[in-house]
Structures are given as C-alpha cells and as structure tokens.
Amino acid sequence: MAATALLEAGLARVLFYPTLLYTLFRGKVPGRAHRDWYHRIDPTVLLGALPLRSLTRQLVQDENVRGVITMNEEYETRFLCHSSQVHRWSPEEAVRAIAKIRSYIHIRPGQLDVLKQFHKQVTAGATKDGTFDTSKT
C-alpha cells in the first residue's frame, strides 16, 4: 500500500512539468484546441490553473485579483508563482486582510499554526536565495 502511494507521488512529480507545458501550449493555440487559463465563476471568484508569475500583473490589473487559494503541491508552486513576495504579509496580517474582505471566513487556531509554519519555511528558503527581505515582514 505504501509503495503504491510512493509510486503515485513520484509519477505525479515526473508528469507535472510535461503536462504544464501541454497546458501552456493549449492556452496559446487558436481554435477548438484552445483552453483558457481561468474562468470567471461569479463577480468575486475566478477558477483556473495555477497563476504563473507572468500572469500575476494581468490578474491583478485586469481581473482585480487580491488573493489566490491553491491546492497545489509545494513542488508545483516553488518555481512558478510567488505569493509571499507580493504583499510580504505575516500570517496574522494575511488573516486580518482576509477578515476585512470576507468577514464570514474564520481561521481556526490550528489552521493559523499551519500557516505560521509554512510562512516560516517559505521565508527561510527565500531568504537563502535572496528573494525575500525579512525586514519588511
């Protein structure tokens, strides 16, 4: 059972970048083969693929995107998008920003702990490669 899960996880990692290239290609071709990167679901929600760095400015300016919720694995987001670098918010600041926009969303203490741990990992990694200035958090 554990070996199967390991094989599936490995296969997902191996196939991620080729399928991403295929998706990028489908976004560029005209006609029936074309696939949009995202779709507007309602006035406040877009549903789509991982927003790449090259799409960030367009999404913020044209679509008024103010936040992204991703269900991707870490290896899928590491080189392709930047979130903590945009606002440089601490976890507490991010929760306050969410509460201002969507007062009915409540972050439980356990969720905040996970967010703090993730933030610590991201900022530590970004500090090592020089992409995150911790003096601004």
Side-chain angles (χ1 to χ4, degrees):
M1 183 79 137
T4 303
L6 227 74
L7 284 173
E8 288 174 1
L11 185 61
R13 286 175 184 247
V14 168
L15 294 177
F16 174 71
Y17 289 103
T19 58
L20 175 62
L21 290 173
Y22 176 73
T23 303
L24 286 168
F25 171 76
R26 297 274 311 258
K28 302 287 183 194
V29 298
R32 293 182 59 200
H34 176 78
R35 293 292 179 264
D36 290 324
W37 201 253
Y38 60 89
H39 298 276
R40 181 159 294 285
I41 302 300
D42 67 24
T44 60
V45 177
L46 297 176
L47 179 63
L50 178 71
L52 302 176
R53 289 181 183 181
S54 61
L55 265 182
T56 302
R57 190 173 312 277
Q58 175 191 348
L59 288 170
V60 169
Q61 291 175 349
D62 298 346
E63 299 290 347
N64 198 29
V65 169
R66 297 293 178 250
V68 173
I69 298 172
T70 180
M71 294 172 51
N72 295 83
E73 297 289 338
E74 180 187 356
Y75 68 88
E76 296 173 325
T77 62
R78 180 173 297 147
F79 305 112
L80 300 173
C81 65
H82 54 60
S83 55
S84 59
Q85 292 92 355
V86 173
H87 292 291
R88 301 184 191 279
W89 286 336
S90 69
E92 294 83 4
E93 291 169 323
V95 168
R96 281 194 296 274
I98 291 169
K100 283 182 191 175
I101 298 166
R102 302 279 186 263
S103 60
Y104 54 85
I105 296 177
H106 300 285
I107 307 297
R108 295 187 311 269
Q111 292 171 312
L112 184 58
D113 291 342
V114 169
L115 185 58
K116 286 178 181 178
Q117 183 63 30
F118 176 74
H119 183 261
K120 184 190 288 186
Q121 291 171 351
V122 169
T123 56
T127 301
K128 287 180 192 172
D129 68 16
T131 60
F132 192 87
D133 181 2
T134 55
S135 66
K136 294 183 180 176
T137 59

